[in-house]
Amino acid sequence: MYQQIFDPVLGRLGLSALVAAIPLVVLFVLLGVFRWKAQWAGMTALAVSIVIAFAVYGMPITQTLGAAGYGAASSFLTVIWILVNALWIFKLTESTGHFAVLRRSFAGVSDDQRIQVIIIAFAFGALLEALAGAGTPVAISAVMLIALGLPPFRAAVASLVANTAPVAFGALSVPITTLSKVTGLDFDTLGAIAGRQTSIVAVFVPLVLVFLVDGRRGVRAVWPAALVAGLAFGAGQFVFSNFISVELADIGAALSCAVFLVAFLRVWRPREPLSVSSTPVMAGGSGAGSAEEEAAMLARGERDTRRNVILAYLPYAVVIAIFVVAQFSAVKSALGSVAIEFAWPGLAITGPAGNPVATVFSFNFLPAAGTLLFVAGVITTLMLKVPPDRAASIYATTVKQLTWTIVCVLCVLALAYVMNLSGQTGSLGRGLATLGGVFAFFSPVIGWLGVAITGSDNSSNALFGAVQVAAAQQTGLSPELMAAANSSGGVVGKMISPQSLAIAAAVVGLQGREGDIFRKVIGYSLALLLVIALLVFLQSTPVLGWMLP
């Protein structure tokens, strides 16, 4: 039996927290400064965390390695299975030329690439986050942005930045549900507070996306549309999370954003649109949407038939429909009835107070997001009339393309579990919780760190929700505010998590450049984190205390 300890370094929590931070510092320095490939940075950080767990925290080496194996195994359904099947669906549509049709259809909504990025990465991505969560929005929106002509690097960055504000309410608000369970606080109150925080962040995100695509010139040109999109999304998220349904907050926000933006574009258009470039969809792709072919179509005055347009949209309509059906109580119960659960061999851990730490491995295969995407992929092959042998060949090519990404994800999830189960993560969270009244400012930072480590707002809430409440009680702050701040701070940590970086790099064909992507997004992540931290701090004072329910 291994008992966690949070202050192993001379009995000092502060020193222990500094030591516990070393694996994360190693990971981010190797990625951002030395530009190592994500898989090697992940392996190195994992090795460092194992040494610290064994040599500093006293975790037996067998249990340390068991924790790493537990984390690696947990990554299959939560990340790898999703990534493989999301990219497979894209490659199916790419190989048949339907993705080029989809690109031309989006150009019909607006011929401005900056606005199209808002529609796809922000509004449509939020809808995918609401239904599926995990890495699905990043994977699908990134490849769709490439189909619109965005360079792969810019598409990866835009998809990561866009996947922020919806994260707290992803997968029908599973992170808020988890937060309520681990803290014992009211679900609706937590959702309402989170909605009053993330909805403000949402206003800025479309402006950031426009800046990413076209710099200051783009912001000057289309700021009215970006502002309408951000305000509509924020308003929808606020109204749904506070007055209608926390579970439907992202769906309401995404639909509100799309409706108001499309309506606004009927009466306003940018003076100088940024036209969509017609470039091949992806290196090594079929070239079905190549510049030469599309130029020839335009010269002949041809347009895509209604049938082809419908077929281009159908795979994504199927994805949405399947996830909606999977949320019905009867369906969810049936799919979850075959889950396999067992205690992970060799792991016997208790917390500092002697309470057992759960190490139950759950293989809930049928309702997993990756399985639902696989079903959508099979239906796509039938709708697009892709021969079975060709579909299987495309699947094998997809897996081969993602080989190093899979290695990276395995290492990073193993790192997260070693840090969590050994007590390193607990040291970090409790170290920040000793800051007194100023803790309100750093409360979102804990959530940000949690998501950066685990890649999941849900996991971050499970890890640090109780820590936030305990710190609030010690400092006289609102437990509900601090708990919600954990989730809100976590949403802007999603873009720098190694899992998200690996997914974004893989789907756009930039494996090995995760460090470059990290260097690009870290500034935006920190800037948005500062906004949330200041907001939460002011909400803990009379200045903005009136914002709380």
Side-chain angles (χ1 to χ4, degrees), residues 15-76:
L15 290 176
S16 301
L18 289 175
V19 173
I22 291 176
L24 296 182
V25 173
V26 169
L27 178 64
F28 293 137
V29 167
L30 292 180
L31 279 174
V33 178
F34 295 101
R35 301 187 182 185
W36 280 27
K37 293 184 177 181
Q39 64 267 22
W40 305 124
M43 287 182 190
T44 304
L46 171 60
V48 172
S49 72
I50 289 174
V51 171
I52 292 175
F54 174 70
V56 178
Y57 283 77
M59 191 178 196
I61 189 63
T62 53
Q63 295 220 42
T64 303
L65 297 177
Y70 182 27
S74 299
S75 70
F76 176 74

Side-chain angles (χ1 to χ4, degrees), residues 1 6 21 33 50-51 117 135 176 180 215 255 290 366 407 485 495 542:
M1 182 71 69
F6 297 140
V33 178
I50 289 174
V51 171
V117 169
I176 303 297
S180 177
L255 295 178
S290 66
L366 288 181
V407 172
M495 69 178 81

Side-chain angles (χ1 to χ4, degrees), residues 392-415:
S393 175
I394 293 172
Y395 199 97
T397 302
T398 302
V399 173
K400 183 178 180 180
Q401 177 184 337
L402 296 175
T403 299
W404 283 113
T405 301
I406 292 172
V407 172
C408 170
V409 171
L410 291 171
C411 290
V412 171
L413 265 294
L415 163 69

Side-chain angles (χ1 to χ4, degrees), residues 88 92 95 377-378 381-382 386-398:
W88 179 48
L92 287 170
S95 68
V378 172
T381 64
L382 298 175
V386 181
D389 57 339
R390 187 181 178 191
S393 175
I394 293 172
Y395 199 97
T397 302
T398 302

Side-chain angles (χ1 to χ4, degrees), residues 61 81 122 193 198 280 325 380 408 478:
I61 189 63
W81 186 229
F122 189 59
I193 296 176
T198 58
V325 171
T380 297
C408 170
S478 164

